[in-house]
DNA sequence: GAAATCTATGTCGATTATGACATATTCGGA
DNA sequence: TCCGAATATGTCATAATCGACATAGATTTC
């Protein structure tokens, strides 16, 4: 396939590469999940470090203890939004959040 | 207020500090929003760099052009989840995502 | 080892984000 | 300027996530 055609197809939204590109979708999904798990671990780590219970954090977030528990457990039903809000709520800096995100890749390499 | 009582109240979820602590919620919200805007800018930057149209990216995401447009416009209705999935989809590394998140703080400082 | 506190898990109605679609607007090349 | 492609904006039904609640299990404290 020539480069122009490839580019045109890609602009139309088609994946034109190898099987690895198809698997790429799964790979992206897996990276996304690892990222969420890393942030979930971060929430627990910082919450405990701050001496807060799940209930206390939940109140700060105007959420509930069960949601915090699910969050820390990496439950599928928990959004990235809530994870990041939680990290900000327990005092994480952007740099710390960034660090956990990078850590997600390390987990994948293992 | 003595330290023990303060700690007990905090574990129950009460904010015991100054007005700044109350404002802290707004501050966290503002940091969160800045973060989303920074990632939105990242999506556009990488998408254009890859020579993809909004429609092409939408197809990769199994989403729609209008949602990509809203995403890049920083629309309130767009989740962090979709932003991050988009960044992964246009080939952003975790390190790059982390960089944009840190950049959000710089925007706030300005 | 009982009581009290904390955490995990399941469920549910309400809320919010979603893709899809229609359509308006902007932009770039002939 | 005109035309087609790209992008922006509004709406909607559906799907995903939400807080709340009940309750089980784990952990700590006395």
């Amino acid at each position: 396939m020539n480069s122009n055609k490839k580019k045109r197809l890609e602009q139309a939204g088609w994946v034109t590469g190898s099987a690895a590109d198809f698997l790429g979708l799964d790979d992206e999904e897996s990276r996304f999940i690892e990222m969420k798990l890393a942030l979930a671990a971060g929430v627990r780590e910082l919450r405990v470090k701050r001496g807060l219970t799940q209930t206390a954090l939940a109140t700060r977030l105007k959420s509930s203890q069960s949601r915090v528990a699910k969050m820390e457990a990496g439950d599928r039903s928990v959004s990235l939004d809530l994870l990041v809000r939680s990290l900000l709520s327990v005092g994480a800096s952007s740099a710390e959040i960034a660090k956990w995100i990078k850590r997600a890749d390390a987990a994948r390499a293992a």
Side-chain angles (χ1 to χ4, degrees), chain A residues 28-100:
Chain A
E28 282 159 23
E29 183 61 15
S30 129
R31 290 177 65 202
F32 183 70
I33 291 172
E34 289 290 349
M35 190 178 296
K36 285 176 76 165
L37 291 178
L39 294 180
V43 169
R44 167 154 294 179
E45 184 178 321
L46 274 188
R47 174 181 65 79
V48 170
K49 189 174 289 181
R50 300 275 184 276
L52 295 172
T53 64
Q54 291 183 343
T55 302
L57 175 55
T59 303
R60 289 193 185 198
L61 293 167
K62 299 184 183 167
S63 180
S64 61
Q65 178 269 326
S66 61
R67 191 133 291 276
V68 173
K70 278 160 187 148
M71 186 164 54
E72 296 184 353
D75 191 290
R76 298 175 31 79
S77 80
V78 175
S79 69
L80 241 193
D81 295 65
L82 188 58
L83 283 165
V84 170
R85 282 182 198 275
S86 300
L87 283 168
L88 292 175
S89 182
V90 293
S93 65
S94 293
E96 280 176 296
I97 294 173
K99 193 167 52 185
W100 269 299

